[in-house]
Amino acid sequence: MLPSSLQGAKQATPSSTAAAHSALYRWADSKVIAALVLFRLINATLVKTYFSPDEYWQALEVGHNITFGYGYLTWEWLVGLRSVLHPAVFAALYKVLSILDLDDGSLFIFAPRLLQALFATLGDFYAYRFAYRLFENQVTANWTLFLTVASWWNFFCSTRTLANSMEASLTIVALYYWPFLGSTSGKTKGSLKLSLFIASLTCIFRPTAAIMWLFLGVWLILRLARQGRWASIIYTGLNVLVIGGGAIFASAVLDKSLLYNEWIWTPINFLRVNVLEGISLFYGSSPWHWYLSQGLPILFGIYIPLVLIGSYHSFQAGTGLNASLERQVLYLSLWVLVVYSALQHKEWRFLYPILYPLLPFAGKTMQRLFLSSTNWKRSKSRIGIVAALVIVNAIMAWYTTLVHQRGVVDVMDWVRDTAREARSQGQDLSFGFIMPCHSTPWYSSVHIRDAKPLPMWFITCNPPLGDIDPATYKDESDFFYDDPVAFMDKRLKDRSPTTPKESHLVLFEDLIRTTPDMLVWLNSQGYHECARFFNSHFHDDSRRRGDVLVYCTISPP
C-alpha cells in the first residue's frame, strides 16, 4: 500500500494540477493590494486638471457645506434630486481633518482624492479577481490587472471624486459577489446579500445604476424559475426588499439629518425631473450611436480590439469553464449600452461601470496572444504590442491629468493663496467669475481654516424648472454672453451702494478675443491683468478656450 502523500499525488485531478500550475503565476493578495494602494495614491496626487463639474459641485461642495456650513448647493440639491450619501463620505473626511486641525493647506485639497484612491484600488483589485472568476485562469487575471493599471481612463478618472468613479469601483465588487448561475467555480458562488448591499449603494449614488441590477435580478429569477427553485426565488425577492428597501430608507434618514431637514425620496425626484420632465436635455443631447462612436472608444482607447476579440471568443464558446457566466457579463454590458444609448443626455463617464467587467475579456485576448507565441520573432511582435499599450496609455494619461484644462484648477490655488496672504495684511478680497457656470472648483478648493467665506460669485445656469417653457427660457449665462458689457454694467448698477465692486474678475481669454468691448470695459473700471494660467490647447466649448485670466483692481499682496 502506498503512503497517503503519494496516493494524493497519484490521484491528483487535471483541475488540481491546473490550479497548482496557475498558482505559480499568482502573487499574494496582500502584496497586490499594497502595490495598488501605493500606485493609486501617487495617481491621485498627479491629477491636476478639471474634467466634470460634478467632481466638485455635486460632491466636495456639498460635503463642505455639511461640515463647515457654507459651500454652494446647485439646483439639484434645492429640489431634492440627489442623495447626500456620496458627499457625506467627504463630509466625514472634512470633519476628521477639522478635528485634527488639518483643514488647511495642500492636505485639505488632496485628502478627498487620496480617499477616493482607496476606492479606485478596490476597482483594480476586484477587476483582477473578477477576471479569475470569469475564466479561472490566473494568467488572464494577471493580464487584466495589468490592463486596469495601465488604462489611461482609470488613471484620469478613477481617483476623481465623481459619483461615477465610486459607482464603478463598487459595481465590480458587487459583480464579483453576485450569485451568477452557471459558474463552475465552487469557491466563487457569490454572496447575494453582500452583493445586494453594495449594489444598493451604487443605486443611491447614481439611480441609473438600477438599470444594471434590474437586468441581473430578472436573469437570476428566470434561471431559478427554469430550474423550479421557487423557494430560492422567494428568498431572493425577500433579500431585495429588505436590503434594497432598507438602504433607501437609511439614505432618506441621512438626507433628512444632514441636509434637507425633511423627508426626501431622491430616486423618485431623480426619475421625475430628469426623465419625465426631461430637464437633463437642458445640458445637452447626443445621437443614439454616440456611445458606440465616442463613449466606448474614449473609455477603452487602444484596448477596443482586445475587448472585441475576447468577447467574440466568449460568444463562440458553447462549452467550457464558465461559458454561461462569460456570456451573462457580455449580455449585461450590451444591455447597459443599449439602454444608455436610448437616453438622449449622454456623457463618457456614464459608461464607466462597464469598464471593469469588460477588461477581463481584453485580458483573455492577451493571454491567448502570448500562449500562441512559439518563437522569438513572434514574441518580439507581442512585446511590441505591450509596449504600444503602455506608451499610448501613458501619453493620454499624462496629457489629460497634467495638461488639458489645468488652468481652472491652478487659478483656484492662486485665489486661495492670494486671499490668505491678503487677509494676513488686513486686505479683504472678492472675486467674480465671468465665465460659463461651474468652470472652476469652488469653496472646497479655497477653504481657509477659521476664516469667514471668501466673497465669490459666478454666472449661473439653472435649468427651466416647473412650468417654465424651455423653448423660450434663458438662463443667466445666456444673458451674459448676449452682451457681456451690458450685463456687467447692470450688475454694477443693481448692487448696494455699500457693496464695493469685486477686487478680482476671473475669465477665459476667449471673452477678450471675441468681445473687444469687454477689455475696454475692464480698463475703464480700473482692472488690469494680474495673473494668467494656461488651460488647454483646444476645447469643445468655444467660450472656454484660451488661458484663464485674472483681472485686478489692486496689486497682488
Side-chain angles (χ1 to χ4, degrees):
M1 197 167 178
L2 293 171
S4 58
S5 60
L6 294 181
Q7 284 184 24
K10 188 175 183 67
Q11 295 172 4
T13 62
S15 60
S16 63
T17 302
H21 182 263
S22 180
L24 295 174
Y25 301 99
R26 181 173 180 178
W27 306 292
D29 285 350
S30 58
K31 293 182 179 179
V32 173
I33 293 172
L36 288 173
V37 168
L38 178 61
F39 177 75
R40 288 304 174 197
L41 288 176
I42 295 172
N43 180 178
T45 62
L46 291 177
V47 176
K48 307 290 187 182
T49 57
Y50 197 79
F51 171 38
S52 170
D54 285 9
E55 178 182 358
Y56 298 95
W57 296 82
Q58 305 299 345
L60 302 187
E61 275 303 298
V62 185
H64 192 278
N65 184 285
I66 293 171
T67 304
F68 299 105
Y70 70 96
Y72 192 90
L73 297 180
T74 61
W75 67 272
E76 292 97 330
W77 301 96
L78 302 181
V79 300
L81 204 66
R82 295 177 181 267
S83 169
V84 77
L85 179 60
H86 179 245
V89 173
F90 304 107
L93 175 63
Y94 285 150
K95 188 64 176 179
V96 171
L97 292 174
S98 177
I99 292 172
L100 298 176
D101 292 340
L102 296 174
D103 58 322
D104 207 357
S106 298
L107 177 62
F108 184 84
I109 304 303
F110 280 107
R113 279 197 182 147
L114 296 177
L115 176 61
Q116 177 59 36
L118 302 182
F119 288 96
T121 298
L122 277 181
D124 295 331
F125 180 74
Y126 275 93
Y128 161 68
R129 299 306 298 139
F130 187 66
Y132 186 81
R133 184 177 182 187
L134 274 180
F135 298 106
E136 298 192 13
N137 184 296
Q138 189 59 44
V139 177
T140 298
N142 293 346
W143 276 116
T144 301
L145 181 61
F146 163 77
L147 294 173
T148 188
V149 168
S151 166
W152 85 271
W153 176 267
N154 278 342
F155 199 89
F156 171 64
C157 198
S158 67
T159 63
R160 293 183 184 272
T161 53
L162 288 162
N164 309 89
S165 300
M166 196 173 290
E167 174 198 357
S169 294
L170 294 180
T171 294
I172 191 61
V173 179
L175 283 175
Y176 176 78
Y177 290 109
W178 182 259
F180 289 98
L181 295 181
S183 171
T184 63
S185 175
K187 294 182 295 183
T188 54
K189 289 182 178 179
S191 170
L192 178 65
K193 292 180 181 179
L194 179 58
S195 183
L196 282 176
F197 173 73
I198 299 172
S200 298
L201 295 181
T202 68
C203 293
I204 293 171
F205 290 157
R206 298 279 306 169
T208 49
I211 293 170
M212 175 179 288
W213 300 106
L214 176 64
F215 177 92
L216 287 173
V218 171
W219 185 290
L220 178 62
I221 290 174
L222 289 178
R223 282 294 188 92
L224 292 173
R226 189 177 301 171
Q227 298 173 9
R229 297 166 60 181
W230 306 109
S232 295
I233 292 176
I234 295 174
Y235 175 80
T236 301
L238 288 175
N239 274 283
V240 171
L241 288 175
V242 172
I243 297 175
I248 293 175
F249 179 74
S251 174
V253 172
L254 193 66
D255 291 341
K256 183 176 185 294
S257 303
L258 293 182
L259 190 65
Y260 293 117
N261 297 320
E262 60 179 329
W263 290 105
I264 295 288
W265 302 101
T266 55
I268 296 175
N269 289 342
F270 184 92
L271 178 66
R272 173 180 57 83
V273 173
N274 278 325
V275 179
L276 300 182
E277 296 180 8
I279 292 300
S280 62
L281 298 182
F282 180 76
Y283 297 101
S285 61
S286 302
W288 67 268
H289 58 77
W290 192 86
Y291 282 129
L292 291 174
S293 59
Q294 294 191 42
L296 289 177
I298 288 293
L299 253 69
F300 289 94
I302 198 172
Y303 295 165
I304 280 285
L306 304 178
V307 175
L308 293 177
I309 293 171
S311 301
Y312 172 77
H313 283 297
S314 291
F315 271 124
Q316 290 294 102
T319 58
L321 290 174
N322 292 346
S324 174
L325 173 55
E326 294 167 29
R327 286 196 290 272
Q328 285 182 60
V329 174
L330 291 172
Y331 288 139
L332 170 65
S333 301
L334 183 61
W335 160 260
V336 171
L337 182 63
V338 169
V339 175
Y340 276 29
S341 294
L343 302 176
Q344 290 182 277
H345 180 64
K346 301 176 176 67
E347 295 186 41
W348 300 332
R349 57 194 173 98
F350 292 170
L351 284 186
Y352 199 178
I354 68 172
L355 174 71
Y356 290 120
L358 288 178
L359 279 180
F361 294 92
K364 181 63 175 178
T365 302
M366 294 298 293
Q367 184 266 335
R368 290 169 60 94
L369 188 66
F370 276 81
L371 187 65
S372 65
S373 179
T374 57
N375 57 56
W376 172 240
K377 289 185 177 180
R378 290 187 177 180
S379 295
K380 285 198 299 184
S381 65
R382 285 154 177 75
I383 293 173
I385 292 174
V386 175
L389 293 176
V390 172
I391 292 171
V392 171
N393 278 287
I395 292 174
M396 294 180 68
W398 163 76
Y399 187 75
T400 55
T401 60
L402 290 170
V403 180
H404 186 61
Q405 293 198 88
R406 176 170 182 149
V408 290
V409 176
D410 289 341
V411 72
M412 299 308 286
D413 293 337
W414 183 90
V415 167
R416 182 181 66 255
D417 293 340
T418 302
R420 180 186 287 111
E421 188 174 352
R423 282 178 174 174
S424 69
Q425 299 179 9
Q427 288 182 314
D428 289 324
L429 307 184
S430 58
F431 293 80
F433 290 73
I434 50 176
M435 47 177 46
C437 66
H438 309 138
S439 290
T440 68
W442 207 239
Y443 278 115
S444 61
S445 290
V446 297
H447 178 89
I448 302 175
R449 179 171 175 78
D450 296 331
K452 62 181 181 180
L454 185 64
M456 301 193 301
W457 62 267
F458 67 96
I459 297 171
T460 62
C461 55
N462 295 334
L465 298 172
D467 298 328
I468 301 175
D469 183 7
T472 58
Y473 175 76
K474 296 179 71 172
D475 61 27
E476 190 176 42
S477 183
D478 293 325
F479 284 113
F480 173 75
Y481 280 99
D482 281 347
D483 193 335
V485 172
F487 181 95
M488 294 302 293
D489 279 337
K490 184 177 186 304
R491 184 175 183 87
L492 284 176
K493 180 180 178 182
D494 292 345
R495 73 174 58 242
S496 167
T498 59
T499 303
K501 66 182 179 181
E502 293 73 24
S503 62
H504 295 70
L505 293 176
V506 184
L507 59 145
F508 284 109
E509 189 176 11
D510 182 78
L511 182 63
I512 301 296
R513 292 174 179 170
T514 58
T515 313
D517 289 347
M518 193 66 210
L519 181 58
V520 175
W521 183 89
L522 289 167
N523 292 331
S524 69
Q525 295 296 321
Y527 288 100
H528 61 276
E529 183 181 322
C530 57
R532 175 184 290 258
F533 303 90
F534 167 80
N535 190 57
S536 62
H537 295 102
F538 61 90
H539 205 292
D540 56 348
D541 185 346
S542 61
R543 301 171 303 172
R544 291 182 164 95
R545 290 174 184 166
D547 294 343
V548 175
L549 311 181
V550 181
Y551 275 75
C552 317
T553 57
I554 58 177
S555 299

